[in-house]
Amino acid sequence: MAVQMPFAGLLHRLLRISTCSQRLLCNRDIHAKLHKCRREVRTFSTGSVTWNQNEGDDPESSSLTSRQALLSRRRRSLSPLERISGLLPQDALSPEVMQLREQNQQDVKVPVTHCTPEESGLGESPKKEDSENHHAAVEPHTQETSATLPGESLLAFGEQLVAEYRRKGRVQFRKMFQLQAGTRLQSSWGTILHDDIAGQPAGRFLKTGRGVPILIRRASLEDYVLFMKRGPAIAYPKDACTMLMMMDVTEGDCVLESGSGSGAMSLFLSRAVGSKGSVVSVEIREDHHKRAVLNYKRWRTSWSLRGGEEWPDNVQFHKADLCTASPLLAGRGFHAVALDIISPHLVLPTVTPHLHPGAVCAVYLANITQVMDLLEGLRCSALPLLCEHIIEVSYRNWLVAPALQKDGGYCVRKAPILHEDQRDETSDETDEEETTSAEKHPAFGSIPYIARPHPEQMSHTAFLVKLRKYVQ
């Protein structure tokens, strides 16, 4: 009995081991069969796709296949390299990255579509386009665009343009760029090829590859001054316009400017004096002088491509110190003087003899301590200059928009609730119909508006001092 017990336990263990081995072999056979089936399915699906491509007899099936391929490509997640390279400028990318980007864009080429302001959805976040609408969009090159109004010209290569995207009444993206062949406009909301922008009228909405409407327009002089490359700080448009009114600059005047800086004030003076006038701009620093000349030339080139008259070449840039530049001003008389330098009281003895009697010298100063030094310099030098006033130009932007509900619908002004006895029971149905139609198309004056100062305001820029020359 003692001998049979160990033998029975050993036999039980052998049976368990054999059962486990059989299960393992069965599982391996099942996995092998599944793997074989998967390979057959893959081979069959690949062969079917190849057959559809080679057949080409059914246009509907081929178009459906292309749409499915486009959708699968569009849904592909971007790699970290593609995300980072999409945010960097083109000059900062290596040739290898540019080659990979071009290959991806050739695989997935999304046509740029046109849209109206109603279709652009300026008050809503960008939505993904439907595949059918996206496939049916017409590329810009297939549409013949021509100027319709007298004096209108289409966008041409070399012009300075501004691209902006607004969402819920606020500017989310704004960029100035020069239209060049073979390049693209890059942003966080997608890209647009410059070749698709050329030949289009200014002020058109173009959709990026992500379906976001971007407004493309020509850059005004204000836009160019604010977005151009700078050396020192510029004279902002609000201050420059006030200085022009102070000096009473008209067409044909000769104006002296000290402190060319980045060339902002030079451009405003150039437009004010016109082709019959002239501007003498003096800058002491070499880097500021080169920057002002370059910005001035770029604006003239962009302006000449609009198809109208050329921008007048009426600004003479000089690199010199105005304190010791008496030979430069010899034999000249100026209708106005604009000073944008750190210590203007040091150049006034040189400038004042060349200023016409009764003319104005406008001084642009950033700090109030500079204003005090200027007035103290006038007191000590006894120059024939009268300080008429010292002002600071404030610029306050307001936000005025219709009041919206959380669901995006318009808020409606509610009339006072009348007593039940004053209302007819028969007018309930008509009231409901009028309410339904009013919700779709609110009547004039029925929507309340919000009006408050904009939260993003421009702070202090400079103090403007108006000095007038008088005859002793």
Side-chain angles (χ1 to χ4, degrees):
M1 189 68 180
V3 177
Q4 292 179 357
M5 290 298 292
F7 179 76
L10 180 61
L11 182 61
H12 182 66
R13 289 181 181 178
L14 290 174
L15 290 174
R16 289 178 62 186
I17 292 173
S18 62
T19 305
C20 293
S21 62
Q22 290 178 0
R23 290 179 181 177
L24 182 61
L25 290 175
C26 292
N27 292 334
R28 287 181 179 177
D29 294 339
I30 292 173
H31 284 295
K33 291 180 180 179
L34 288 176
H35 183 68
K36 185 177 180 180
C37 292
R38 288 175 183 173
R39 292 180 59 185
E40 291 178 355
V41 170
R42 289 178 183 175
T43 307
F44 176 76
S45 61
T46 305
S48 62
V49 172
T50 306
W51 179 80
N52 285 334
Q53 292 178 354
N54 294 333
E55 186 177 14
D57 295 333
D58 191 359
E60 295 181 357
S61 61
S62 61
S63 62
L64 182 61
T65 306
S66 62
R67 292 177 187 175
Q68 293 176 352
L70 180 61
L71 286 175
S72 62
R73 291 175 181 175
R74 286 179 61 190
R75 292 172 183 171
R76 181 180 63 85
S77 59
L78 297 178
S79 63
L81 178 61
E82 292 174 340
R83 293 178 181 177
I84 297 175
S85 61
L87 300 177
L88 294 176
Q90 189 173 0
D91 300 337
L93 300 178
S94 61
E96 293 79 5
V97 177
M98 291 298 300
Q99 186 177 3
L100 291 174
R101 179 187 289 182
E102 291 177 359
Q103 291 178 358
N104 294 334
Q105 290 180 353
Q106 289 177 1
D107 294 340
V108 185
K109 185 176 181 182
V110 182
V112 178
T113 58
H114 305 153
C115 59
T116 60
E118 291 78 6
E119 297 173 352
S120 61
L122 295 178
E124 301 177 356
S125 59
K127 300 179 180 179
K128 294 184 178 179
E129 292 181 327
D130 190 29
S131 59
E132 296 183 359
N133 295 336
H134 190 81
H135 184 75
V138 181
E139 295 188 4
H141 295 293
T142 61
Q143 294 183 351
E144 296 182 359
T145 307
S146 60
T148 57
L149 298 177
E152 180 184 0
S153 60
L154 303 179
L155 301 179
F157 290 113
E159 288 192 68
Q160 297 289 339
L161 306 180
V162 173
E164 63 181 11
Y165 167 62
R166 294 176 179 267
R167 181 171 175 265
K168 294 183 179 180
R170 293 189 180 184
V171 178
Q172 302 291 333
F173 168 74
R174 181 176 289 165
K175 179 181 180 180
M176 187 180 72
F177 63 98
Q178 186 178 14
L179 193 61
Q180 298 177 352
T183 58
R184 58 181 62 87
L185 173 65
Q186 299 179 354
S187 66
S188 301
W189 287 268
T191 61
I192 300 177
L193 297 178
H194 284 202
D195 295 337
D196 296 333
I197 300 176
Q200 301 296 330
R204 165 165 285 182
F205 284 91
L206 298 180
K207 288 187 178 181
T208 63
R210 296 178 55 185
V212 180
I214 304 293
L215 176 63
I216 306 296
R217 59 179 178 85
R218 286 189 173 97
S220 62
L221 183 57
E222 180 183 4
D223 296 325
Y224 182 77
V225 166
L226 292 176
F227 291 101
M228 67 182 182
K229 292 184 179 180
R230 306 178 186 177
I234 64 170
Y236 282 83
K238 67 182 184 66
D239 299 323
C241 295
T242 306
M243 292 177 69
L244 292 176
M245 295 299 295
M246 280 184 175
M247 297 182 291
D248 195 21
V249 179
T250 58
E251 185 178 1
D253 288 350
C254 183
V255 183
L256 173 64
E257 179 195 11
S258 178
S260 304
S262 299
M265 194 65 196
S266 303
L267 286 168
F268 285 110
L269 290 172
S270 175
R271 183 169 65 176
V273 300
S275 57
K276 298 180 181 179
S278 62
V279 179
V280 179
S281 183
V282 183
E283 177 59 49
I284 189 173
R285 292 185 52 170
E286 179 69 22
D287 55 344
H288 294 178
H289 170 73
K290 291 182 178 180
R291 174 53 57 188
V293 173
L294 182 60
N295 287 336
Y296 180 73
K297 289 182 178 179
R298 284 181 177 175
W299 174 253
R300 292 189 67 245
T301 303
S302 176
W303 183 268
S304 62
L305 294 173
R306 297 189 177 186
E309 298 181 358
E310 292 188 359
W311 189 273
D313 188 10
N314 53 7
V315 180
Q316 303 174 10
F317 293 95
H318 299 277
K319 179 187 173 298
D321 187 1
L322 199 57
C323 296
T324 60
S326 297
L328 181 63
L329 306 180
R332 290 177 176 266
F334 299 100
H335 297 88
V337 175
L339 300 180
D340 185 6
I341 54 179
I342 298 177
S343 302
H345 59 279
L346 299 179
V347 303
L348 286 178
T350 306
V351 172
T352 304
H354 299 276
L355 184 62
H356 291 182
V360 173
C361 173
V363 187
Y364 184 94
L365 298 172
N367 302 320
I368 194 63
T369 54
Q370 293 176 289
V371 178
M372 298 177 183
D373 294 341
L374 174 61
L375 298 180
E376 187 66 12
L378 290 176
R379 184 185 65 82
C380 297
S381 61
L383 294 173
L385 294 173
L386 177 63
C387 180
E388 293 191 350
H389 54 251
I390 304 169
I391 64 173
E392 178 185 8
V393 180
S394 60
Y395 183 87
R396 196 174 190 183
N397 190 15
W398 277 70
L399 176 63
V400 181
L404 299 177
Q405 299 177 355
K406 291 185 178 181
D407 58 354
Y410 291 107
C411 296
V412 181
R413 288 176 177 164
K414 297 182 179 180
I417 300 176
L418 301 177
H419 196 267
E420 294 181 356
D421 297 339
Q422 299 177 358
R423 300 184 59 180
D424 296 331
E425 296 180 356
T426 56
S427 62
D428 291 342
E429 296 180 357
T430 58
D431 291 343
E432 291 180 358
E433 294 178 357
E434 292 178 359
T435 304
T436 305
S437 61
E439 290 178 354
K440 297 180 180 179
H441 303 286
F444 178 80
S446 61
I447 298 177
Y449 273 66
I450 55 172
R452 62 173 183 269
H454 200 278
E456 300 174 359
Q457 298 291 341
M458 180 180 293
S459 59
H460 166 77
T461 54
F463 296 100
L464 306 181
V465 183
K466 183 178 182 180
L467 306 177
R468 187 181 299 276
K469 182 180 179 180
Y470 62 91
V471 180
Q472 293 179 342

